[in-house]
Amino acid sequence: MSSRPIGVVGEESTPTEVTVKASHPILPGTYVYIRFRARDPASNTEEDREVVGIVGSTLYKSVVPIVVTPDLSRLESYHLSDLKRESYMKALVVADITGGRARFPKYPPPPETPVYPARQEHLRVVYSHATESGVRVGALVGLEELEVRVDANSLPKHLLVAGTTGSGKSNLVAVLADRIAQLGGSVVIFDVHGEYRNLESESSNVKVVSYEASINPLKIPPRLLVRFVIPEARATKQRRILRRALKSLNERIVYQASRNRTSYTEAVKKLYELEMGSASKELLEEVSGPADMYRELLKKDAVSETRGARREEVAEDIADKIDYFFETHRVSLEGIDVSEIVGHGRIVVVDVSALGDEERDCMLKVVAEDLLWSLKEYRIPPTLLVIEEAHVFLKQGASTLSKGAIQRFIREGRKFGGMLAIVSQRPRALDADVVSQVQNFAFFRLVQEADRSAVMNLTDVLGEEYSDIMPSLPPGHAIFVGEWVRWYPTYVKVDLHRGKKAGATPDVVGAWRSRAEASKSRLREYESLAKEWEGG
């Protein structure tokens, strides 16, 4: 070795973890190289072995015992050179690279073996595998010239991206989605907060399509739609009336469309003409499209379904809630299914930021089921479905509308090219049965111990030392593990996606200062005009 050792192997050593002893601390995340002699028990011969590892935790330890005493003057008798210190690190052995081929380590390095900083040629054996299915996502931390590529053919085993807010999760999603699409792949992003609304591809060959999710009352089951229109759980009588009205209206629309061989939109127009032809002039002025026509037909049916002594009062209350729902929600009878716009080299951003939590849950169920059936019928290419804020929909111990659909997508979709990426800042809240089927992981900064424990339990490849690194990971840095990196833990600096305009933490101080400067500038301008006025 031409470089100087940075330490030696300490008293404890296993094939996958060693203690490193040095005079000064080595930063967590540093890659190290160890060469040693090991005996093969099968052949009873010795041979040189080479391994690379990554430093996890670091601590300082005094070699000379320090006596605690109230007499601080006694410490003055020591010179700095007399106070010897040693630093102890835990390093995870990533791979055995003997003979230029990466394999899982089997032999523990002996104590006092020199430990060197790993060089590019050492790590290239483990991390450089340029295959046709490889997708660049970034570079190895500390060795930016060594790119990290993940195997897209492993994504049918699904992916979990976990990290705190602002740690770089959505940037990785943008990088991965864009570069998969550049390979000719298909990606659907279920965008909860509108972060990807203005996403621009790095390539002119990729098309980004924004799909503004809307509520189509003809496609959502009446029992679910009733809960959106009348959220009060105790209003059982009103819900029952509205459910009957929805069922009756939808049946008539379907019959009209089938009879005249026309679209549902045209069927609604025809039905409105037949049933509301004598409507007042004021009502006709309020109706501007098929959704408004559907609303008025539904109110009419709700009135006809209302019975009892308080008939007029109940009907009016239901009608008010129908009006409020249609005024405050994006309702459309013309919305197409997501599967109809999925395609090669295309990213479809399903924007559900305008919907409430329960409506998003329902929309995710609709999207997941639509994609799964389309994949099974070979109507769309293999597709990666990305779910942001996944802990809201896949909550441990809770029943959501979409959870069953997602479980089927994971379980059945893999055989037909269905891939799922679960993105969450709270991995401890995720349903264990769902996440247990994931075999690819990207871990960004995680501070809470419960979250780190949760991700450690998801994979038996990461040790506790990686858990110690996670709270200090800078934004954009992540630990990858799983089949997509051949199960070798990889410390990655993820590329910055320039086409993702939203989602980054804003410079609030800069915005305040800019506004303050603008106000001062206007004030100076007013003062100048006032002086000119007084002088004139």
Side-chain angles (χ1 to χ4, degrees), residues 440-469:
N440 299 297
F441 307 92
F443 299 130
F444 288 85
R445 182 176 66 247
L446 285 170
V447 178
Q448 296 293 330
E449 184 178 352
D451 286 323
R452 302 203 308 273
S453 298
V455 299
M456 290 297 104
N457 292 332
L458 294 175
T459 170
D460 55 3
V461 176
L462 290 180
E464 291 184 1
E465 301 308 317
Y466 286 95
S467 177
D468 294 336
I469 297 176

Side-chain angles (χ1 to χ4, degrees), residues 59-132:
L59 63 86
Y60 246 143
K61 182 179 180 181
S62 174
V63 175
V64 179
I66 297 177
V67 179
V68 179
T69 172
D71 186 6
L72 299 179
S73 62
R74 291 182 58 184
L75 292 177
E76 297 178 0
S77 63
Y78 287 99
H79 295 288
L80 290 177
S81 59
D82 296 330
L83 294 173
K84 296 183 179 179
R85 309 179 187 91
E86 286 181 344
S87 182
Y88 290 83
M89 282 72 62
K90 287 286 187 181
L92 278 297
V93 180
V94 174
D96 185 317
I97 60 169
T98 303
R101 184 169 66 89
R103 57 181 70 83
F104 290 105
K106 295 193 301 183
Y107 303 98
E112 302 301 321
T113 302
V115 178
Y116 298 88
R119 296 203 303 263
Q120 184 176 339
E121 59 264 30
H122 301 140
L123 298 172
R124 185 181 289 113
V125 176
V126 184
Y127 297 118
S128 285
H129 298 278
T131 63
E132 291 184 359

Side-chain angles (χ1 to χ4, degrees), residues 167-189:
S167 59
K169 302 186 301 297
S170 60
N171 178 69
L172 172 62
V173 169
V175 169
L176 193 60
D178 198 357
R179 294 175 186 175
I180 285 176
Q182 290 175 34
L183 286 178
S186 168
V187 183
V188 175
I189 302 176

Side-chain angles (χ1 to χ4, degrees), residues 44-288:
N44 199 31
T45 59
E46 286 192 353
E47 59 180 349
D48 288 333
R49 310 299 305 184
E50 298 175 87
V51 298
V52 291
I54 184 171
V55 174
S57 60
T58 302
L59 63 86
Y60 246 143
K61 182 179 180 181
S62 174
V63 175
V64 179
I66 297 177
V67 179
V68 179
T69 172
D71 186 6
L72 299 179
S73 62
R74 291 182 58 184
L75 292 177
E76 297 178 0
S77 63
Y78 287 99
H79 295 288
L80 290 177
S81 59
D82 296 330
L83 294 173
K84 296 183 179 179
R85 309 179 187 91
E86 286 181 344
S87 182
Y88 290 83
M89 282 72 62
K90 287 286 187 181
L92 278 297
V93 180
V94 174
D96 185 317
I97 60 169
T98 303
R101 184 169 66 89
R103 57 181 70 83
F104 290 105
K106 295 193 301 183
Y107 303 98
E112 302 301 321
T113 302
V115 178
Y116 298 88
R119 296 203 303 263
Q120 184 176 339
E121 59 264 30
H122 301 140
L123 298 172
R124 185 181 289 113
V125 176
V126 184
Y127 297 118
S128 285
H129 298 278
T131 63
E132 291 184 359
S133 61
V135 177
R136 178 192 164 100
V137 292
L140 214 60
V141 171
L143 289 165
E144 278 69 22
E145 65 275 13
L146 192 58
E147 69 173 10
V148 174
R149 301 175 71 87
V150 297
D151 185 5
N153 275 336
S154 297
L155 288 176
K157 301 292 181 66
H158 312 300
L159 168 66
L160 169 65
V161 181
T164 59
T165 301
S167 59
K169 302 186 301 297
S170 60
N171 178 69
L172 172 62
V173 169
V175 169
L176 193 60
D178 198 357
R179 294 175 186 175
I180 285 176
Q182 290 175 34
L183 286 178
S186 168
V187 183
V188 175
I189 302 176
F190 194 78
D191 187 7
V192 173
H193 298 303
E195 289 188 58
Y196 305 89
R197 186 180 299 142
N198 299 315
L199 180 66
E200 296 177 2
S201 174
E202 300 168 328
S203 170
S204 59
N205 296 324
V206 173
K207 185 174 183 180
V208 181
V209 181
S210 181
Y211 178 96
E212 291 191 355
S214 59
I215 296 174
N216 189 336
L218 292 168
K219 292 188 176 182
I220 296 180
R223 62 182 180 80
L224 297 181
L225 188 57
V226 164
R227 290 164 56 177
F228 301 157
V229 180
I230 306 176
E232 299 87 355
R234 298 178 65 181
T236 54
K237 181 179 180 181
Q238 291 187 8
R239 284 186 171 185
R240 186 165 57 250
I241 293 169
L242 182 58
R243 186 165 56 249
R244 288 199 300 262
L246 279 167
K247 186 172 183 295
S248 173
L249 177 57
N250 288 352
E251 287 176 351
R252 297 202 309 279
I253 293 172
V254 171
Y255 173 76
Q256 190 71 231
S258 175
R259 179 184 177 185
N260 297 319
R261 297 183 180 180
T262 186
S263 66
Y264 289 147
T265 299
E266 293 300 321
V268 169
K269 292 179 180 178
K270 183 65 175 177
L271 205 61
Y272 185 84
E273 180 183 336
L274 292 172
E275 299 185 10
M276 305 289 287
S278 59
S280 66
K281 182 179 179 181
E282 291 78 7
L283 177 59
L284 291 174
E285 288 176 352
E286 295 178 2
V287 176
S288 59

